[in-house]
Amino acid sequence: LSPPAERPDRRLEKLGILGGTFDPIHSGHIAMAQAARQAHGLDRVLLVPAARPPHKERELAPAADRLAMARLAAESAPGIEASDIEIRRGGTSYTAETLEELARERPDAELYFILGADSVPELKSWWRLPRIFELARLVVVNRPGCKGLFPPEQFQGIPGELLERAECDRVQMPPVPVSSTGVRKAVRRGEPLGAKVPPGVEEYIRRRGLYRGGRG
Ligand code: ATP
């Protein structure tokens, strides 16, 4: 018997990674994970709440709560799981490090990093962006109001063919006009969340008394 690595019928696991602050997770996150999963035939999508995102200044809900809500959301979403990889590592969460860790843990997996179109213009400031493009395919999902193109002059250091592939890997989904900011605002105003959040999340927010005060 040949070792697994040499078997021609061996199929790579296609693993999607959706990183975010998830403060809290909402239906747009789940919809984009599902759209990316379907479009690219991904076996699984990991929801990865950041311990501390590099670009967000405001105070966040505790990491344990953000992770618990991601877990609740995953319960009703087939093929979607929550991962504590960044929260376990602690400190500022850099996507390049997370992808390196996942690639080390699962050398057989093909990694797809999923992000919303509104995040594309921010990418140029991400730590070790060329490494991210090396380790994973970038899958951009549309978000209301965003074009999210990859103008090459803003992505110096990334080979043109990787930018082109990222363009081709784009996923369109019916727009979901929900944001974590909007959810936090609704909680503060005492409005019901309804379909803005996946099942179980609203109950969790109320039980833990999250997002009642503050401005963010
Ligand atoms: P906030 O309102 O606090 O800025 P957010 O709703 O943008 O939060 P994040 O956790 O920051 O949520 O987002 C994680 C990822 O999900 C990002 O890549 C973001 O672009 C994407 N995303 C979030 N909401 C949507 C949505 N409604 N449609 C498409 N992509 C989305």
Side-chain angles (χ1 to χ4, degrees), residues 18-23 26 28-29 32 56 58 114-119 141-144 173 176-182 184:
L18 170 53
T21 314
F22 300 141
D23 194 24
H26 59 67
H29 296 131
M32 70 191 285
K56 292 208 178 178
R58 66 180 180 80
I114 304 162
L115 78 167
D118 60 308
S119 303
V141 182
N142 64 299
R143 189 170 189 177
M173 69 169 185
V176 182
V178 182
S179 67
S180 298
T181 306
R184 294 192 300 274

Side-chain angles (χ1 to χ4, degrees), residues 10-88:
R10 222 173 112 267
R11 194 181 150 278
L12 295 176
E13 182 194 24
K14 290 179 162 197
L15 184 64
I17 297 115
L18 170 53
T21 314
F22 300 141
D23 194 24
I25 190 129
H26 59 67
S27 301
H29 296 131
I30 299 301
M32 70 191 285
Q34 279 168 334
R37 180 165 180 253
Q38 267 181 4
H40 289 286
L42 308 180
D43 296 290
R44 292 185 294 151
V45 174
L46 302 181
L47 304 168
V48 184
R52 187 164 4 105
H55 303 291
K56 292 208 178 178
E57 297 291 318
R58 66 180 180 80
E59 207 178 305
L60 307 176
D65 286 322
R66 292 182 289 112
L67 176 64
M69 292 187 280
R71 287 195 167 130
L72 278 173
E75 273 175 25
S76 54
I80 299 186
E81 293 168 26
S83 161
D84 64 356
I85 185 166
E86 292 189 350
I87 288 175
R88 224 180 330 122

Side-chain angles (χ1 to χ4, degrees), residues 66-144:
R66 292 182 289 112
L67 176 64
M69 292 187 280
R71 287 195 167 130
L72 278 173
E75 273 175 25
S76 54
I80 299 186
E81 293 168 26
S83 161
D84 64 356
I85 185 166
E86 292 189 350
I87 288 175
R88 224 180 330 122
R89 194 168 68 231
T92 303
S93 304
Y94 294 106
T95 296
E97 273 190 316
T98 303
L99 295 177
E100 277 184 338
E101 202 175 324
L102 287 170
R104 246 192 332 268
E105 275 173 15
R106 304 161 214 255
D108 290 340
E110 197 178 0
L111 306 183
Y112 289 71
F113 185 72
I114 304 162
L115 78 167
D118 60 308
S119 303
V120 172
E122 295 163 18
L123 273 178
K124 55 184 180 294
S125 65
W126 285 25
W127 190 60
R128 296 173 71 207
L129 185 63
R131 188 76 184 123
I132 295 175
F133 271 84
E134 265 169 36
L135 286 162
R137 289 172 72 147
L138 251 75
V139 176
V140 178
V141 182
N142 64 299
R143 189 170 189 177

